[in-house]
Amino acid sequence: MDCHKSYALLITGILGGAAVVFLGLCISGKSAALGNPIALLGLFAMLGSIGQAFVFYKCPHCGFHLNIRGPKPDYCPNCGRKL
């Protein structure tokens, strides 16, 4: 997987997981037996997307792991080649 796909999956997983967590918390006010597992599913989606970014969000040329907390760079901070 290249760094662009990994970054897109990271953003999608975090935003989608947060929406599912919010939905689960809204449902848990009425039915905790249904809402809590849905919220946990959203949390696992968020953690899974962060985990894959730690593995796959790296420079395709030199393998330098890019920072997931900042904006997506156009060039590798290690080797200077275009991503």
Side-chain angles (χ1 to χ4, degrees):
M1 178 183 314
D2 68 348
C3 63
H4 300 290
K5 289 180 186 176
S6 177
Y7 188 77
L9 189 59
L10 170 70
I11 298 301
T12 304
I14 288 177
L15 293 177
V20 173
V21 167
F22 180 72
L23 176 69
L25 292 176
C26 289
I27 292 173
S28 69
K30 296 179 176 150
S31 172
L34 180 63
N36 289 343
I38 292 175
L40 280 175
L41 182 66
L43 181 65
F44 288 142
M46 292 172 69
L47 292 176
S49 68
I50 293 170
Q52 71 79 26
F54 278 125
V55 174
F56 295 112
Y57 189 52
K58 59 186 175 182
C59 175
H61 307 290
C62 68
F64 180 76
H65 287 278
L66 302 170
N67 187 2
I68 65 172
R69 293 180 292 167
K72 185 173 67 168
D74 293 330
Y75 296 92
C76 176
N78 188 40
C79 67
R81 295 177 74 181
K82 187 164 178 67
L83 297 176

